[in-house]
Amino acid sequence: MGDANVEASRFTWVFGGDTISDGKGINSNVIPLGVNKSKRDLLLKVTDEGCSDSYTIQNIKVIPDLTVQVVDSLGCEPFKAEFIAKNSENVTYDWDYGDGVSERSDDHPFHTYKEDGFYHLKLKVTTDKGCTNSVAVDSIVYVAPIPTVGFSLDPSPCLEKTDHQVSYVGSGDQKDTYNWDLSVFDPQEIIQNPGTTQGPFTFNLLHQPKAPIGLQVVSKYGCKSEVGKIEVKRKPSFSFTATGNIGCVPLKTSFSAMAADPVDQINYNWNFGDGTSDSGKETSHLYSDPDKHFSITLSGLSELTGCSDTTSKDTLVYVAPIPTVGFSLDPSLCLEKTDHQVSYLGSGDQKDTYNWDLSAFDPAEIIQNPGTTQGPFTFNLINKPKAPIGLQVVSKYGCKSDIGKIEVKRKPSFSFTAAGNRGCNPLDASFSANPGDPVDQISYTWDFGDGTTGTGAGISHTYNEPDNHYNVSLGGLSLITGCSDNMTSDTLVFVFPKPKADFTMDHSIVYNDKPEVRFENLSSPDSNQFLWNFGDGSTSTDASPSYKFKGHGYRKVLMEAINNYQCSDTISKQVLVAFSRIFPPNAFSPNAPNATDREFKLSQDAIQEKGYHLVILSRWNDVVFETKNEIKGWDGKLKNGDYAPAGSYVWKLDFVDFLGRRHQQSGTVTLLY
């Protein structure tokens, strides 16, 4: 609080009438804030030799004491909590209930928590002098949830008449109590009683079509759920019988339904399998579609539960038809000249009678006679290319079929040979057809295996695709039976592989000063011999040669690759030998014995006359010789006809090569005598 600035012998500090200190100064912590807090004046009394004076400090602010009591910190949702605050002052109370709700109230509020959970309480008090204090309650409020009730079994389906289980599904846990209501179930229907646990409850509706199940959950905090209920129900159980369900068309069949549970009340509906239906416990139906099996379906609907079920019997009804007649052998087939079998195919069975007509066959052609059975009838057309077969079936119900007939026939017989059928392409091969049956009349068609065909008994064909085996086929058509046959000789023709010739060059353009080209052989691996022609009469048998070209111009390089079959392939590529520079003589003499050495001439096959310009200069830079658009040499004479003195001369040349490219070149030449 500070010191009094008075020299005195005695100082007395009084707060609310109570002396709290004797001394020159005091600290605020000696003021008894928790006692008599309505008195807020601080008095300083000074006494010196019997004289006294005083000074008063008014309205000292004091922090109020504060405690909070939670009357009950646990309850079920929604939970109304009660709070009591204790304070010695007249203050205002600001409550924060921890659930997002705050309010200014008195020292004894009530608050309702709507949702379950833990909540922390806070309280702030303020005196009329503006002093505040806050407290966070140590104990928290817990609002326990009301347990939810659900069942693991969907009550809407209709159950089978077997054991089933239902368990509790909800927010409860193992510490809660589960009060099941199973009072409607017979003791024999309760397979496993859940007691007060979550289950499962195992049951079987043996004696009733439906039953309710009730459940209330009491949580460990005493919170009670609503009573949950489901009603379980089972499907109706029934069967049926049929009489007169197999016979000839038309067939009248009677049906009777039987309930397995006398308690249930069932309405029946029949599906006769032919698109018609009927209702009732007893019924009959007339079938008019022959040669069909019908599946019967009976549906039952329980009047007590609304549940339904269906039972079926597949192919219960069979309406016997007029027997059909068919044969296992396709009459359109052309048979080989060997033994063959034909059997009956149709609606008949082993109990029916089969009357075969085999009168067209010679005795030697009948290998096995079927008698009155379904067969097989085994035969061989030895003496004729075709013959008819007849059959009539009488069923076990006395129904006779129409007489069925087929005509059997055999294929023509032939073979073929080939000559010149192996070699390099193009390969010319010859083929000949050889008839195996002198009775039949056959026309021939060839398939050479390369997409081409031909006709006739003898024929030749050229193959052009290398490295291929060809299957040659010969087709023969009988002019008597219309039957045809085909025979193929696998890989009869073999056109030898042809190597693939290929190469690359390190240069496709070279110059007369560096005319060498290196060739790299890229031919197929089966190539083992090579022949090169460089276009100027030179050849090589190296696999990858190098060659220096002579002259100028375009050269066609040809390579031939040969394999082990002595089949070959060729490829050619072009090389350009271009002009780079002239290689001039460095001296000449008009008196030389060799005529070519008597003049200084700069010429090449690659140089064109048009655009040619040669100038020869003396040491004093005088022009001693010049020619334009004409290729000619200097004979050592000056323009006046006299010979130039011996010595060194400078020459300059402009020219155009055979490709039309312009060049410039210069140098010196020595004139000698």
Side-chain angles (χ1 to χ4, degrees), residues 632-658:
K632 66 180 182 177
W634 181 42
D635 57 3
K637 293 182 179 181
L638 300 174
K639 291 182 179 181
N640 59 8
D642 297 334
Y643 282 102
S648 179
Y649 292 85
V650 176
W651 60 268
K652 295 181 179 180
L653 177 64
D654 291 336
F655 63 92
V656 177
D657 67 16
F658 70 99

PDB file of all heavy atoms in Angstrom, residues 632-658:
ATOM      1  N   LYS A 632      41.135 -25.082-121.855  1.00  0.00           N
ATOM      2  CA  LYS A 632      42.362 -25.277-122.614  1.00  0.00           C
ATOM      3  C   LYS A 632      43.548 -24.922-121.736  1.00  0.00           C
ATOM      4  O   LYS A 632      43.415 -24.197-120.741  1.00  0.00           O
ATOM      5  CB  LYS A 632      42.364 -24.457-123.888  1.00  0.00           C
ATOM      6  CG  LYS A 632      42.396 -22.945-123.677  1.00  0.00           C
ATOM      7  CD  LYS A 632      42.402 -22.235-125.016  1.00  0.00           C
ATOM      8  CE  LYS A 632      42.484 -20.705-124.843  1.00  0.00           C
ATOM      9  NZ  LYS A 632      42.572 -20.011-126.140  1.00  0.00           N
ATOM     10  N   GLY A 633      44.750 -25.438-122.108  1.00  0.00           N
ATOM     11  CA  GLY A 633      45.933 -25.252-121.284  1.00  0.00           C
ATOM     12  C   GLY A 633      46.826 -24.110-121.768  1.00  0.00           C
ATOM     13  O   GLY A 633      46.698 -23.592-122.885  1.00  0.00           O
ATOM     14  N   TRP A 634      47.780 -23.727-120.905  1.00  0.00           N
ATOM     15  CA  TRP A 634      48.765 -22.662-121.232  1.00  0.00           C
ATOM     16  C   TRP A 634      50.044 -23.350-121.700  1.00  0.00           C
ATOM     17  O   TRP A 634      50.608 -24.202-120.989  1.00  0.00           O
ATOM     18  CB  TRP A 634      49.011 -21.796-119.985  1.00  0.00           C
ATOM     19  CG  TRP A 634      49.991 -20.677-120.230  1.00  0.00           C
ATOM     20  CD1 TRP A 634      50.080 -19.876-121.301  1.00  0.00           C
ATOM     21  CD2 TRP A 634      51.049 -20.300-119.341  1.00  0.00           C
ATOM     22  NE1 TRP A 634      51.098 -18.978-121.190  1.00  0.00           N
ATOM     23  CE2 TRP A 634      51.733 -19.216-119.949  1.00  0.00           C
ATOM     24  CE3 TRP A 634      51.493 -20.733-118.104  1.00  0.00           C
ATOM     25  CZ2 TRP A 634      52.829 -18.599-119.379  1.00  0.00           C
ATOM     26  CZ3 TRP A 634      52.563 -20.083-117.527  1.00  0.00           C
ATOM     27  CH2 TRP A 634      53.234 -19.032-118.163  1.00  0.00           C
ATOM     28  N   ASP A 635      50.478 -22.940-122.891  1.00  0.00           N
ATOM     29  CA  ASP A 635      51.666 -23.558-123.468  1.00  0.00           C
ATOM     30  C   ASP A 635      52.941 -22.808-123.123  1.00  0.00           C
ATOM     31  O   ASP A 635      54.023 -23.078-123.662  1.00  0.00           O
ATOM     32  CB  ASP A 635      51.531 -23.672-124.985  1.00  0.00           C
ATOM     33  CG  ASP A 635      51.280 -22.306-125.645  1.00  0.00           C
ATOM     34  OD1 ASP A 635      51.282 -21.291-124.903  1.00  0.00           O
ATOM     35  OD2 ASP A 635      51.068 -22.280-126.863  1.00  0.00           O
ATOM     36  N   GLY A 636      52.848 -21.827-122.225  1.00  0.00           N
ATOM     37  CA  GLY A 636      54.032 -21.077-121.788  1.00  0.00           C
ATOM     38  C   GLY A 636      54.270 -19.806-122.568  1.00  0.00           C
ATOM     39  O   GLY A 636      55.228 -19.061-122.287  1.00  0.00           O
ATOM     40  N   LYS A 637      53.432 -19.483-123.551  1.00  0.00           N
ATOM     41  CA  LYS A 637      53.614 -18.294-124.376  1.00  0.00           C
ATOM     42  C   LYS A 637      52.847 -17.122-123.795  1.00  0.00           C
ATOM     43  O   LYS A 637      51.790 -17.285-123.199  1.00  0.00           O
ATOM     44  CB  LYS A 637      53.153 -18.561-125.804  1.00  0.00           C
ATOM     45  CG  LYS A 637      54.013 -19.568-126.555  1.00  0.00           C
ATOM     46  CD  LYS A 637      53.511 -19.745-127.979  1.00  0.00           C
ATOM     47  CE  LYS A 637      54.397 -20.750-128.744  1.00  0.00           C
ATOM     48  NZ  LYS A 637      53.927 -20.920-130.140  1.00  0.00           N
ATOM     49  N   LEU A 638      53.410 -15.926-124.091  1.00  0.00           N
ATOM     50  CA  LEU A 638      52.741 -14.692-123.714  1.00  0.00           C
ATOM     51  C   LEU A 638      51.707 -14.330-124.780  1.00  0.00           C
ATOM     52  O   LEU A 638      51.592 -15.022-125.817  1.00  0.00           O
ATOM     53  CB  LEU A 638      53.768 -13.577-123.564  1.00  0.00           C
ATOM     54  CG  LEU A 638      54.862 -13.807-122.519  1.00  0.00           C
ATOM     55  CD1 LEU A 638      55.897 -12.691-122.572  1.00  0.00           C
ATOM     56  CD2 LEU A 638      54.243 -13.911-121.123  1.00  0.00           C
ATOM     57  N   LYS A 639      51.012 -13.240-124.523  1.00  0.00           N
ATOM     58  CA  LYS A 639      49.974 -12.837-125.471  1.00  0.00           C
ATOM     59  C   LYS A 639      50.580 -12.444-126.838  1.00  0.00           C
ATOM     60  O   LYS A 639      49.902 -12.531-127.864  1.00  0.00           O
ATOM     61  CB  LYS A 639      49.178 -11.664-124.900  1.00  0.00           C
ATOM     62  CG  LYS A 639      48.329 -12.048-123.707  1.00  0.00           C
ATOM     63  CD  LYS A 639      47.521 -10.842-123.204  1.00  0.00           C
ATOM     64  CE  LYS A 639      46.644 -11.227-122.025  1.00  0.00           C
ATOM     65  NZ  LYS A 639      45.848 -10.094-121.538  1.00  0.00           N
ATOM     66  N   ASN A 640      51.886 -11.991-126.835  1.00  0.00           N
ATOM     67  CA  ASN A 640      52.523 -11.593-128.102  1.00  0.00           C
ATOM     68  C   ASN A 640      53.112 -12.772-128.845  1.00  0.00           C
ATOM     69  O   ASN A 640      53.763 -12.631-129.888  1.00  0.00           O
ATOM     70  CB  ASN A 640      53.592 -10.540-127.841  1.00  0.00           C
ATOM     71  CG  ASN A 640      54.666 -11.042-126.885  1.00  0.00           C
ATOM     72  OD1 ASN A 640      54.698 -12.231-126.524  1.00  0.00           O
ATOM     73  ND2 ASN A 640      55.561 -10.155-126.466  1.00  0.00           N
ATOM     74  N   GLY A 641      52.997 -13.972-128.315  1.00  0.00           N
ATOM     75  CA  GLY A 641      53.487 -15.168-128.965  1.00  0.00           C
ATOM     76  C   GLY A 641      54.846 -15.602-128.488  1.00  0.00           C
ATOM     77  O   GLY A 641      55.310 -16.697-128.847  1.00  0.00           O
ATOM     78  N   ASP A 642      55.527 -14.768-127.704  1.00  0.00           N
ATOM     79  CA  ASP A 642      56.830 -15.156-127.176  1.00  0.00           C
ATOM     80  C   ASP A 642      56.646 -16.026-125.936  1.00  0.00           C
ATOM     81  O   ASP A 642      55.627 -15.936-125.224  1.00  0.00           O
ATOM     82  CB  ASP A 642      57.648 -13.909-126.820  1.00  0.00           C
ATOM     83  CG  ASP A 642      57.959 -13.048-128.038  1.00  0.00           C
ATOM     84  OD1 ASP A 642      57.993 -13.626-129.139  1.00  0.00           O
ATOM     85  OD2 ASP A 642      58.119 -11.828-127.839  1.00  0.00           O
ATOM     86  N   TYR A 643      57.672 -16.868-125.742  1.00  0.00           N
ATOM     87  CA  TYR A 643      57.614 -17.686-124.527  1.00  0.00           C
ATOM     88  C   TYR A 643      57.903 -16.833-123.302  1.00  0.00           C
ATOM     89  O   TYR A 643      58.788 -15.961-123.337  1.00  0.00           O
ATOM     90  CB  TYR A 643      58.621 -18.837-124.604  1.00  0.00           C
ATOM     91  CG  TYR A 643      58.134 -19.986-125.471  1.00  0.00           C
ATOM     92  CD1 TYR A 643      58.606 -20.150-126.775  1.00  0.00           C
ATOM     93  CD2 TYR A 643      57.198 -20.886-124.971  1.00  0.00           C
ATOM     94  CE1 TYR A 643      58.158 -21.189-127.568  1.00  0.00           C
ATOM     95  CE2 TYR A 643      56.759 -21.937-125.764  1.00  0.00           C
ATOM     96  CZ  TYR A 643      57.221 -22.086-127.042  1.00  0.00           C
ATOM     97  OH  TYR A 643      56.761 -23.109-127.812  1.00  0.00           O
ATOM     98  N   ALA A 644      57.160 -17.108-122.269  1.00  0.00           N
ATOM     99  CA  ALA A 644      57.377 -16.390-121.009  1.00  0.00           C
ATOM    100  C   ALA A 644      58.663 -16.877-120.379  1.00  0.00           C
ATOM    101  O   ALA A 644      59.094 -18.015-120.602  1.00  0.00           O
ATOM    102  CB  ALA A 644      56.202 -16.619-120.060  1.00  0.00           C
ATOM    103  N   PRO A 645      59.318 -16.026-119.631  1.00  0.00           N
ATOM    104  CA  PRO A 645      60.550 -16.457-118.976  1.00  0.00           C
ATOM    105  C   PRO A 645      60.271 -17.570-117.971  1.00  0.00           C
ATOM    106  O   PRO A 645      59.184 -17.678-117.402  1.00  0.00           O
ATOM    107  CB  PRO A 645      61.060 -15.183-118.296  1.00  0.00           C
ATOM    108  CG  PRO A 645      59.858 -14.326-118.138  1.00  0.00           C
ATOM    109  CD  PRO A 645      58.963 -14.631-119.287  1.00  0.00           C
ATOM    110  N   ALA A 646      61.300 -18.397-117.774  1.00  0.00           N
ATOM    111  CA  ALA A 646      61.155 -19.474-116.772  1.00  0.00           C
ATOM    112  C   ALA A 646      60.947 -18.870-115.385  1.00  0.00           C
ATOM    113  O   ALA A 646      61.429 -17.782-115.088  1.00  0.00           O
ATOM    114  CB  ALA A 646      62.392 -20.364-116.808  1.00  0.00           C
ATOM    115  N   GLY A 647      60.224 -19.589-114.581  1.00  0.00           N
ATOM    116  CA  GLY A 647      59.975 -19.119-113.214  1.00  0.00           C
ATOM    117  C   GLY A 647      58.625 -19.590-112.684  1.00  0.00           C
ATOM    118  O   GLY A 647      57.949 -20.427-113.279  1.00  0.00           O
ATOM    119  N   SER A 648      58.254 -19.004-111.561  1.00  0.00           N
ATOM    120  CA  SER A 648      57.008 -19.401-110.881  1.00  0.00           C
ATOM    121  C   SER A 648      55.891 -18.446-111.245  1.00  0.00           C
ATOM    122  O   SER A 648      56.092 -17.209-111.235  1.00  0.00           O
ATOM    123  CB  SER A 648      57.217 -19.425-109.362  1.00  0.00           C
ATOM    124  OG  SER A 648      56.018 -19.781-108.733  1.00  0.00           O
ATOM    125  N   TYR A 649      54.687 -18.988-111.533  1.00  0.00           N
ATOM    126  CA  TYR A 649      53.517 -18.202-111.921  1.00  0.00           C
ATOM    127  C   TYR A 649      52.321 -18.599-111.021  1.00  0.00           C
ATOM    128  O   TYR A 649      52.208 -19.752-110.592  1.00  0.00           O
ATOM    129  CB  TYR A 649      53.176 -18.429-113.391  1.00  0.00           C
ATOM    130  CG  TYR A 649      54.216 -17.866-114.339  1.00  0.00           C
ATOM    131  CD1 TYR A 649      55.346 -18.617-114.672  1.00  0.00           C
ATOM    132  CD2 TYR A 649      54.075 -16.585-114.875  1.00  0.00           C
ATOM    133  CE1 TYR A 649      56.309 -18.115-115.510  1.00  0.00           C
ATOM    134  CE2 TYR A 649      55.045 -16.077-115.728  1.00  0.00           C
ATOM    135  CZ  TYR A 649      56.159 -16.830-116.046  1.00  0.00           C
ATOM    136  OH  TYR A 649      57.116 -16.332-116.875  1.00  0.00           O
ATOM    137  N   VAL A 650      51.496 -17.607-110.793  1.00  0.00           N
ATOM    138  CA  VAL A 650      50.277 -17.829-109.980  1.00  0.00           C
ATOM    139  C   VAL A 650      49.106 -18.095-110.922  1.00  0.00           C
ATOM    140  O   VAL A 650      48.939 -17.378-111.914  1.00  0.00           O
ATOM    141  CB  VAL A 650      49.983 -16.618-109.086  1.00  0.00           C
ATOM    142  CG1 VAL A 650      48.663 -16.826-108.337  1.00  0.00           C
ATOM    143  CG2 VAL A 650      51.128 -16.395-108.099  1.00  0.00           C
ATOM    144  N   TRP A 651      48.293 -19.123-110.552  1.00  0.00           N
ATOM    145  CA  TRP A 651      47.084 -19.390-111.337  1.00  0.00           C
ATOM    146  C   TRP A 651      45.840 -19.332-110.444  1.00  0.00           C
ATOM    147  O   TRP A 651      45.880 -19.657-109.263  1.00  0.00           O
ATOM    148  CB  TRP A 651      47.166 -20.726-112.056  1.00  0.00           C
ATOM    149  CG  TRP A 651      47.342 -21.922-111.130  1.00  0.00           C
ATOM    150  CD1 TRP A 651      48.503 -22.463-110.743  1.00  0.00           C
ATOM    151  CD2 TRP A 651      46.304 -22.673-110.506  1.00  0.00           C
ATOM    152  NE1 TRP A 651      48.321 -23.516-109.908  1.00  0.00           N
ATOM    153  CE2 TRP A 651      46.932 -23.668-109.744  1.00  0.00           C
ATOM    154  CE3 TRP A 651      44.905 -22.617-110.511  1.00  0.00           C
ATOM    155  CZ2 TRP A 651      46.230 -24.593-108.994  1.00  0.00           C
ATOM    156  CZ3 TRP A 651      44.212 -23.546-109.776  1.00  0.00           C
ATOM    157  CH2 TRP A 651      44.864 -24.523-109.013  1.00  0.00           C
ATOM    158  N   LYS A 652      44.728 -18.869-111.021  1.00  0.00           N
ATOM    159  CA  LYS A 652      43.433 -18.794-110.341  1.00  0.00           C
ATOM    160  C   LYS A 652      42.385 -19.400-111.271  1.00  0.00           C
ATOM    161  O   LYS A 652      42.334 -19.046-112.454  1.00  0.00           O
ATOM    162  CB  LYS A 652      43.060 -17.350-110.004  1.00  0.00           C
ATOM    163  CG  LYS A 652      43.995 -16.708-108.985  1.00  0.00           C
ATOM    164  CD  LYS A 652      43.549 -15.283-108.670  1.00  0.00           C
ATOM    165  CE  LYS A 652      44.470 -14.628-107.636  1.00  0.00           C
ATOM    166  NZ  LYS A 652      44.048 -13.252-107.328  1.00  0.00           N
ATOM    167  N   LEU A 653      41.549 -20.271-110.677  1.00  0.00           N
ATOM    168  CA  LEU A 653      40.567 -20.988-111.495  1.00  0.00           C
ATOM    169  C   LEU A 653      39.183 -20.905-110.845  1.00  0.00           C
ATOM    170  O   LEU A 653      39.012 -21.197-109.667  1.00  0.00           O
ATOM    171  CB  LEU A 653      40.964 -22.471-111.637  1.00  0.00           C
ATOM    172  CG  LEU A 653      39.968 -23.349-112.407  1.00  0.00           C
ATOM    173  CD1 LEU A 653      39.852 -22.889-113.851  1.00  0.00           C
ATOM    174  CD2 LEU A 653      40.388 -24.815-112.340  1.00  0.00           C
ATOM    175  N   ASP A 654      38.191 -20.470-111.632  1.00  0.00           N
ATOM    176  CA  ASP A 654      36.767 -20.545-111.271  1.00  0.00           C
ATOM    177  C   ASP A 654      36.118 -21.529-112.237  1.00  0.00           C
ATOM    178  O   ASP A 654      36.302 -21.426-113.462  1.00  0.00           O
ATOM    179  CB  ASP A 654      36.082 -19.183-111.397  1.00  0.00           C
ATOM    180  CG  ASP A 654      36.583 -18.206-110.345  1.00  0.00           C
ATOM    181  OD1 ASP A 654      37.068 -18.669-109.303  1.00  0.00           O
ATOM    182  OD2 ASP A 654      36.495 -16.986-110.582  1.00  0.00           O
ATOM    183  N   PHE A 655      35.313 -22.473-111.687  1.00  0.00           N
ATOM    184  CA  PHE A 655      34.687 -23.447-112.576  1.00  0.00           C
ATOM    185  C   PHE A 655      33.414 -23.987-111.924  1.00  0.00           C
ATOM    186  O   PHE A 655      33.175 -23.827-110.723  1.00  0.00           O
ATOM    187  CB  PHE A 655      35.636 -24.595-112.915  1.00  0.00           C
ATOM    188  CG  PHE A 655      36.055 -25.422-111.731  1.00  0.00           C
ATOM    189  CD1 PHE A 655      35.344 -26.562-111.354  1.00  0.00           C
ATOM    190  CD2 PHE A 655      37.170 -25.053-110.977  1.00  0.00           C
ATOM    191  CE1 PHE A 655      35.740 -27.314-110.274  1.00  0.00           C
ATOM    192  CE2 PHE A 655      37.564 -25.806-109.899  1.00  0.00           C
ATOM    193  CZ  PHE A 655      36.856 -26.947-109.533  1.00  0.00           C
ATOM    194  N   VAL A 656      32.572 -24.655-112.731  1.00  0.00           N
ATOM    195  CA  VAL A 656      31.321 -25.283-112.293  1.00  0.00           C
ATOM    196  C   VAL A 656      31.443 -26.774-112.573  1.00  0.00           C
ATOM    197  O   VAL A 656      31.827 -27.172-113.680  1.00  0.00           O
ATOM    198  CB  VAL A 656      30.103 -24.700-113.019  1.00  0.00           C
ATOM    199  CG1 VAL A 656      28.829 -25.434-112.593  1.00  0.00           C
ATOM    200  CG2 VAL A 656      29.985 -23.216-112.767  1.00  0.00           C
ATOM    201  N   ASP A 657      31.131 -27.636-111.529  1.00  0.00           N
ATOM    202  CA  ASP A 657      31.244 -29.076-111.728  1.00  0.00           C
ATOM    203  C   ASP A 657      29.984 -29.638-112.371  1.00  0.00           C
ATOM    204  O   ASP A 657      29.030 -28.903-112.668  1.00  0.00           O
ATOM    205  CB  ASP A 657      31.584 -29.793-110.423  1.00  0.00           C
ATOM    206  CG  ASP A 657      30.465 -29.713-109.402  1.00  0.00           C
ATOM    207  OD1 ASP A 657      29.320 -29.380-109.766  1.00  0.00           O
ATOM    208  OD2 ASP A 657      30.720 -29.991-108.201  1.00  0.00           O
ATOM    209  N   PHE A 658      29.957 -30.962-112.560  1.00  0.00           N
ATOM    210  CA  PHE A 658      28.851 -31.606-113.282  1.00  0.00           C
ATOM    211  C   PHE A 658      27.534 -31.555-112.518  1.00  0.00           C
ATOM    212  O   PHE A 658      26.482 -31.801-113.085  1.00  0.00           O
ATOM    213  CB  PHE A 658      29.210 -33.060-113.612  1.00  0.00           C
ATOM    214  CG  PHE A 658      29.263 -33.967-112.423  1.00  0.00           C
ATOM    215  CD1 PHE A 658      28.200 -34.790-112.103  1.00  0.00           C
ATOM    216  CD2 PHE A 658      30.384 -33.978-111.593  1.00  0.00           C
ATOM    217  CE1 PHE A 658      28.251 -35.625-111.006  1.00  0.00           C
ATOM    218  CE2 PHE A 658      30.444 -34.803-110.505  1.00  0.00           C
ATOM    219  CZ  PHE A 658      29.381 -35.643-110.193  1.00  0.00           C
TER     220      PHE A 658
END
